[in-house]
Amino acid sequence: MPSAVTVSRERLWLPVVAPVVWSTHFMLCYTVAALACGRFAEVLPAARVRGLLVVLTAAAVTVMVWCLHDGWNRLGSRWPRRAHDDDTPHDRQHFMAFTTVLLASLSLLATAFEAAALWAVDRCT
Amino acid sequence: MLDPAGTAAAEIATLFWWMTAGSAGVWLIAVGLGLYCARGRRLPQPERFVWRLIVGGGVIVPSVLLVVLLFFGLRPLTRADAASFGAPTVTVSGEQWWWRVRYTRPDGTTVDLANELRLPVGHRTEVALASDNVLHAFWVPALAGKVDMIPGRATRLVLEPTQVGVFRGACAEYCGTSHARMDFRAEVMSAVDFDIWLAGQAADALPVDNDEARRGAELFTWHGCGACHAVRGTTAAGTIGPDLTHVGSRSSLATASMRNAPAEMAAWLAAPERTKPGVHMPGFAMVGDADLHALAAYLTALR
Amino acid sequence: MTPPASEPRATVPGEAPLAAAPPLELQRAQAARLLAAWKIPTGWRYWSAVNNTVVGLWYVVLTLVFFLFGGVLALVMRLQLAAPGNTVVSADHYNQIFTLHGSVMMFLFAIPIFEAVSIMFLPQMLGTRELPFPRLSAFGFWAFAIGGTFLCGSLFFDAAPRGGWFMYPPLTSRFQPDIGADIWLLGFSFIEVAAIAAAVELIVGVLRCRPPGMRLNLMPLYAWYVLVAAFMVLFAFPPLIVGTAMLELERAFGWPFFDPRGGGDPLLWQHLFWIFGHPEVYIIFLPSVALIAMIVPTAARRPLIGYSWVVLAAIGTGFLSFGLWVHHMFTTGLPGITLALFSAASSAVAIPTAVQFVCFFATLLAGAIARTVPMLYVVGGFATFVIGGLTGVMVAMAPFNFQAHDTYFVVAHLHTVLIGGAVFPLLAGLYYYFPLVNGRLLSDRLGRVSFWLVFVGFNATFMPMHVAGLLGMPRRVFTYPAGLGLEWWNLVSTVGAFILAAGFAVVLWDVLRPSRSKSPSPRNPWNAGTLEWLQEMPGQPWGVRTIPEIDARYPLWQQPNFVRDYDEGRFYLPDAEEGRREMLVTSTLDAVPVQCMRIPGPSFITLVAAVFVGGIFIFPTFKLYTAMAVSAVFATGTIVVWLWTGTGEIPAVPTKHVGLGVTLPLYVSGRDAVGWWAMCITMLAVFAAFLSLVFGYFFYWSLRADFLPQPSPGPGVAWPVAGAGLITLAWALTALARRWNRQNVASACCTGLLVASLLAGAGVAALIEGPSRTALDPAASVYAATVWLLVAWTGIQVVLGIVMQWYCVARRVAGRMTAQHDMDLANVVLYWHFTGVTALLTVAVVAGAPLVA
């Protein structure tokens, strides 16, 4: 059945918001780590670095979870029972929503990997 | 690197074997699954099974395996890497295409040599790495991983050998024409032997004791070798080329390309370009065989 | 195949094909007119062709020639390494050969092959006539041909680069003063321009030129992969272009970007190179896997399972691959926390890679497999690629990387993933798609023979290299010491290399043997379901007989009477009444037709433009800077002529009936126009390069407390800010000029543009005045060099913007641009948006950063 969501809410780039957030989080964490182990070692001692990384990760995860939630809602709040292969606006929107859900999940997974690694190896040398 | 003789190399070798075993298992399963699928048994109602295959096989299993791998794989990075207290540090500088080695003893004095590294077993030696020309990389596979030598940056490595022996070292970053001819030897000895050796290297050059070597010493000065090379205790004080004060004591010549003996030394002096294409040292074939032999006798006598 | 269970479809006028076939006479007349409009020129004029099938064929053939060249270089290398102390080639020659082998394979084969295959087949896979900018494709080909020949030719003059394909300074900046490095830097920059042009073409083609009804969820997977790869090109190539410019400036003028004596750092090159280099290998891998995604459903005789998952895998891999680059730099003494971050990211990318392969398996499992040569290569490629993926995960672990980096273990890894993940799928694609090239099938028997030779040869060559690396054999060595146990492994590798070469020779023979000895192919020989197999055997130059209305992902399987309707021209644009080449532009998400676009036909101007643009890169190699400037002027002129004659054509009649009751405009300007999209996408790449420059500035700043000179800071504040102000005014005036043009006040528009160009010129002068006044010497410090480079970059961008403003004035005066037909000015305004932001950022950085510090 045609989805309740109007076509105007669909933008081509909505599914890639989560990966863009992942890359932003990645670059910011890398920059913080590099500066803390370089010129700004006094200003950024280990505890402060950890704190910054936690804040960055929390912010990134929040946005990604929002993307996941939004996609899930647009999917009809349930796992698709059949593929969205049909030539209808509904299926196309479903496809976009499902892709959003998958990309947000992958971004969360990658962020989790990276955050765990940053937490575990918290040293410069 | 599969025959480790140092703590870092041993840790990495263990990691390698576990990863290889795991990889072999994963490969067998993946390829087995691929071949099975390619047989093309048409499954009735494939939808439910394949979703499990995609989520399970594509996402969950790889994620779990990778988390385990990362845990063990990154553990070596969490260990502190300090040198033993009171041990001498070594500064190795990469040149085109040889190794400048300087030991700094705890009392602050330095000992210069080239193309050879000796280490006391069981001690952690700090190796400071540098280069003022191109990128090089210092690598003794049996002892530890490699570290790059970067102009403008100071890098370091701590070596902790666990066995006595002679181990091969190599340059592991492309540095120009003779990058392939830039090996060196790292000899690990007991702490006592090491102290004796270092004291010997710190001393000035031994006085020559035979006529041919004496003639070689004169030729050495006459041909201006001292402009590039240093022989402490004589007038030769050049730093462009390797320090030759104790060159006769080294286990190899021309960065592990040749035996350290008079005939090879003479061959090197005549045409260094043949062993090391692009080398900055000029050839001395024009001085004639007799003089070459004299020079070789002198240099190999500098133990 | 039964059509999938469906819901009632929304009907739109013109969605269903014509109920009755047009009369036979009319069909024949339509076909004849189409053929006449799309005719490929003959004789020497053949080289002016712009049809995608022709340009694509040239591109594929030339790429394969470079592949063979790179392969022969590898055979020479293997002969040299067969035994220790070999003297097959001298050390210096070996170093040239291995540099060229890597460079040719990566830049002249692996990237261009995806562009070439896409140019050749993407329109047909999408069921459309052409890519949106055929002359741009031709230009890209000629640039590639000229640049590639220049590069490979250097070997025969003993002037080839010899710094490795990665060209690390300081070796390549101060220790190799010969011309080789310049040839590499300038030659490849030229080719990178071609790559970005191809990326623009492919993105616009996939997003805007699909047939009506081909919604995003119905797009063939090849289109998804190519879309992702093209976006990756946009963001991966610019950092390399910037790094290349910096290295060339250091070599030619001594600007010390990578020289620590001037405050520079060799590591910045490594960062810029690998920010390009890592995504590059995924740019190579993804379009090759895309071929698998097209072959597997055909072999399984059913639609692919997990379409959305594969799309996820493509997009996910594309993004994640940008977070791995430092794993090529693990041994440079970086902090442990950085190593851990990149190890984790490098592992994470394995997940989307695994997902897509599982989807392929699932499809095979649920289908009935046809055992064909393409499937043989697919399975063999997969088995090989998994080994490479696993060794990749191993070297992703930083501690193991410390041992394996720069050894033959990595050589084994990279060839395994590249050959398994790219070459095998390409060979599968060759055997699968060959009928589309000339209507003949390649030999099944020769295909099997070649597969086994290639498979065995590959393993014999590269499996021993794992061991050689573990035994301590470094990379990029012209020989190795005896007595380390390396002799046998190297000898086996060498023998394997010749077996591999024999396999390729068999493929080459199969391709080159005379057509009459090959069996003719029936139409759709593999019974595939996707649109490229609509092609008649042999194919016609019209791309498609009629642009179809799409209702399903596998129209040949799932849309009833589809082929019959297509053959009878029952869909859109079955005719070329005015003798023009026409195609449809559609909306992004749902492929609703929005424009009937007329595209240009054959022309030599693309070749001329490529020659002059090539001069801009080739003359400076020989330090002929005046010739370079002259070439730049001629290049600009040629491109202006090209645009003047080939774009923004105002149609005699504003709309055209394209079939099925749909009437579409012929001229569109602004955000819906494909030209605007092309400008936007190109400027994204240019902006990415600019951001790489800004990154460089802050990279140096983060390294050294004394980056900013004391006591007198940089270029001052007054002059740069004045420059920014003038350029911003010019920008605003340009935007206003568009509004005035729309209001049809021609005098205001033209005056505004001319005044804007004067302001812009003054702005550039002001920007240059700043660092000149404070006597910043770019050869003395990396700070000065970076400031000057930022200023120069902005200046060049503004100057090109001035040329564009004058162009618009000329168009308006000549009546080729009117109040409604203003695509020229719309695109120029877009260019100025990017340029204005660039100028503001430049001034913020060079004038503002010293104040903040």
PDB file of all heavy atoms in Angstrom, chain B residues 227-243:
ATOM      1  N   ALA B 227      89.256  12.695   3.685  1.00  0.00           N
ATOM      2  CA  ALA B 227      88.257  13.750   3.452  1.00  0.00           C
ATOM      3  C   ALA B 227      86.860  13.218   3.712  1.00  0.00           C
ATOM      4  O   ALA B 227      85.962  13.969   4.107  1.00  0.00           O
ATOM      5  CB  ALA B 227      88.373  14.254   2.022  1.00  0.00           C
ATOM      6  N   CYS B 228      86.639  11.940   3.433  1.00  0.00           N
ATOM      7  CA  CYS B 228      85.315  11.357   3.619  1.00  0.00           C
ATOM      8  C   CYS B 228      85.248  10.393   4.798  1.00  0.00           C
ATOM      9  O   CYS B 228      84.178  10.180   5.354  1.00  0.00           O
ATOM     10  CB  CYS B 228      84.889  10.579   2.372  1.00  0.00           C
ATOM     11  SG  CYS B 228      84.653  11.625   0.933  1.00  0.00           S
ATOM     12  N   HIS B 229      86.362   9.767   5.108  1.00  0.00           N
ATOM     13  CA  HIS B 229      86.338   8.727   6.136  1.00  0.00           C
ATOM     14  C   HIS B 229      87.112   9.160   7.363  1.00  0.00           C
ATOM     15  O   HIS B 229      88.081   9.913   7.256  1.00  0.00           O
ATOM     16  CB  HIS B 229      86.955   7.437   5.599  1.00  0.00           C
ATOM     17  CG  HIS B 229      86.146   6.838   4.477  1.00  0.00           C
ATOM     18  ND1 HIS B 229      84.996   6.108   4.691  1.00  0.00           N
ATOM     19  CD2 HIS B 229      86.332   6.870   3.131  1.00  0.00           C
ATOM     20  CE1 HIS B 229      84.517   5.696   3.511  1.00  0.00           C
ATOM     21  NE2 HIS B 229      85.310   6.165   2.550  1.00  0.00           N
ATOM     22  N   ALA B 230      86.717   8.646   8.548  1.00  0.00           N
ATOM     23  CA  ALA B 230      87.418   8.949   9.792  1.00  0.00           C
ATOM     24  C   ALA B 230      88.133   7.700  10.264  1.00  0.00           C
ATOM     25  O   ALA B 230      87.573   6.600  10.238  1.00  0.00           O
ATOM     26  CB  ALA B 230      86.423   9.427  10.837  1.00  0.00           C
ATOM     27  N   VAL B 231      89.390   7.870  10.688  1.00  0.00           N
ATOM     28  CA  VAL B 231      90.100   6.821  11.397  1.00  0.00           C
ATOM     29  C   VAL B 231      90.635   7.500  12.648  1.00  0.00           C
ATOM     30  O   VAL B 231      91.616   8.241  12.588  1.00  0.00           O
ATOM     31  CB  VAL B 231      91.253   6.239  10.537  1.00  0.00           C
ATOM     32  CG1 VAL B 231      91.975   5.140  11.312  1.00  0.00           C
ATOM     33  CG2 VAL B 231      90.710   5.716   9.223  1.00  0.00           C
ATOM     34  N   ARG B 232      89.947   7.305  13.750  1.00  0.00           N
ATOM     35  CA  ARG B 232      90.312   8.023  14.977  1.00  0.00           C
ATOM     36  C   ARG B 232      91.718   7.673  15.391  1.00  0.00           C
ATOM     37  O   ARG B 232      92.130   6.518  15.413  1.00  0.00           O
ATOM     38  CB  ARG B 232      89.327   7.684  16.108  1.00  0.00           C
ATOM     39  CG  ARG B 232      88.047   8.491  16.008  1.00  0.00           C
ATOM     40  CD  ARG B 232      86.995   8.065  17.028  1.00  0.00           C
ATOM     41  NE  ARG B 232      86.205   6.961  16.513  1.00  0.00           N
ATOM     42  CZ  ARG B 232      86.077   5.783  17.121  1.00  0.00           C
ATOM     43  NH1 ARG B 232      86.701   5.544  18.261  1.00  0.00           N
ATOM     44  NH2 ARG B 232      85.350   4.829  16.587  1.00  0.00           N
ATOM     45  N   GLY B 233      92.467   8.689  15.768  1.00  0.00           N
ATOM     46  CA  GLY B 233      93.859   8.469  16.115  1.00  0.00           C
ATOM     47  C   GLY B 233      94.773   8.816  14.964  1.00  0.00           C
ATOM     48  O   GLY B 233      95.977   8.858  15.112  1.00  0.00           O
ATOM     49  N   THR B 234      94.248   9.086  13.814  1.00  0.00           N
ATOM     50  CA  THR B 234      95.050   9.584  12.695  1.00  0.00           C
ATOM     51  C   THR B 234      94.461  10.918  12.266  1.00  0.00           C
ATOM     52  O   THR B 234      93.529  11.442  12.874  1.00  0.00           O
ATOM     53  CB  THR B 234      95.013   8.614  11.498  1.00  0.00           C
ATOM     54  OG1 THR B 234      93.712   8.684  10.894  1.00  0.00           O
ATOM     55  CG2 THR B 234      95.290   7.190  11.923  1.00  0.00           C
ATOM     56  N   THR B 235      95.014  11.437  11.168  1.00  0.00           N
ATOM     57  CA  THR B 235      94.517  12.735  10.688  1.00  0.00           C
ATOM     58  C   THR B 235      93.200  12.606   9.931  1.00  0.00           C
ATOM     59  O   THR B 235      92.565  13.600   9.632  1.00  0.00           O
ATOM     60  CB  THR B 235      95.531  13.376   9.727  1.00  0.00           C
ATOM     61  OG1 THR B 235      95.841  12.424   8.696  1.00  0.00           O
ATOM     62  CG2 THR B 235      96.787  13.758  10.479  1.00  0.00           C
ATOM     63  N   ALA B 236      92.822  11.361   9.607  1.00  0.00           N
ATOM     64  CA  ALA B 236      91.585  11.193   8.816  1.00  0.00           C
ATOM     65  C   ALA B 236      90.382  11.459   9.706  1.00  0.00           C
ATOM     66  O   ALA B 236      90.197  10.804  10.736  1.00  0.00           O
ATOM     67  CB  ALA B 236      91.513   9.774   8.256  1.00  0.00           C
ATOM     68  N   ALA B 237      89.556  12.434   9.328  1.00  0.00           N
ATOM     69  CA  ALA B 237      88.419  12.815  10.189  1.00  0.00           C
ATOM     70  C   ALA B 237      87.179  13.149   9.386  1.00  0.00           C
ATOM     71  O   ALA B 237      86.324  13.897   9.836  1.00  0.00           O
ATOM     72  CB  ALA B 237      88.809  14.002  11.056  1.00  0.00           C
ATOM     73  N   GLY B 238      87.067  12.577   8.190  1.00  0.00           N
ATOM     74  CA  GLY B 238      85.890  12.873   7.358  1.00  0.00           C
ATOM     75  C   GLY B 238      84.659  12.166   7.873  1.00  0.00           C
ATOM     76  O   GLY B 238      84.716  11.064   8.423  1.00  0.00           O
ATOM     77  N   THR B 239      83.489  12.790   7.710  1.00  0.00           N
ATOM     78  CA  THR B 239      82.241  12.165   8.172  1.00  0.00           C
ATOM     79  C   THR B 239      81.262  11.903   7.051  1.00  0.00           C
ATOM     80  O   THR B 239      80.143  11.477   7.289  1.00  0.00           O
ATOM     81  CB  THR B 239      81.553  13.075   9.213  1.00  0.00           C
ATOM     82  OG1 THR B 239      81.435  14.372   8.659  1.00  0.00           O
ATOM     83  CG2 THR B 239      82.332  13.119  10.498  1.00  0.00           C
ATOM     84  N   ILE B 240      81.685  12.171   5.803  1.00  0.00           N
ATOM     85  CA  ILE B 240      80.752  11.939   4.690  1.00  0.00           C
ATOM     86  C   ILE B 240      80.524  10.456   4.484  1.00  0.00           C
ATOM     87  O   ILE B 240      79.437  10.017   4.139  1.00  0.00           O
ATOM     88  CB  ILE B 240      81.301  12.569   3.394  1.00  0.00           C
ATOM     89  CG1 ILE B 240      81.452  14.079   3.582  1.00  0.00           C
ATOM     90  CG2 ILE B 240      80.400  12.275   2.217  1.00  0.00           C
ATOM     91  CD1 ILE B 240      82.131  14.764   2.435  1.00  0.00           C
ATOM     92  N   GLY B 241      81.581   9.661   4.678  1.00  0.00           N
ATOM     93  CA  GLY B 241      81.483   8.223   4.483  1.00  0.00           C
ATOM     94  C   GLY B 241      81.590   7.507   5.811  1.00  0.00           C
ATOM     95  O   GLY B 241      81.726   8.124   6.863  1.00  0.00           O
ATOM     96  N   PRO B 242      81.527   6.153   5.775  1.00  0.00           N
ATOM     97  CA  PRO B 242      81.559   5.390   7.029  1.00  0.00           C
ATOM     98  C   PRO B 242      82.848   5.574   7.807  1.00  0.00           C
ATOM     99  O   PRO B 242      83.927   5.761   7.223  1.00  0.00           O
ATOM    100  CB  PRO B 242      81.427   3.944   6.543  1.00  0.00           C
ATOM    101  CG  PRO B 242      80.867   4.012   5.175  1.00  0.00           C
ATOM    102  CD  PRO B 242      81.308   5.306   4.601  1.00  0.00           C
ATOM    103  N   ASP B 243      82.717   5.514   9.132  1.00  0.00           N
ATOM    104  CA  ASP B 243      83.870   5.533  10.027  1.00  0.00           C
ATOM    105  C   ASP B 243      84.646   4.229   9.835  1.00  0.00           C
ATOM    106  O   ASP B 243      84.088   3.138   9.845  1.00  0.00           O
ATOM    107  CB  ASP B 243      83.370   5.664  11.461  1.00  0.00           C
ATOM    108  CG  ASP B 243      84.505   5.826  12.450  1.00  0.00           C
ATOM    109  OD1 ASP B 243      85.293   4.873  12.597  1.00  0.00           O
ATOM    110  OD2 ASP B 243      84.586   6.892  13.061  1.00  0.00           O
TER     111      ASP B 243
END
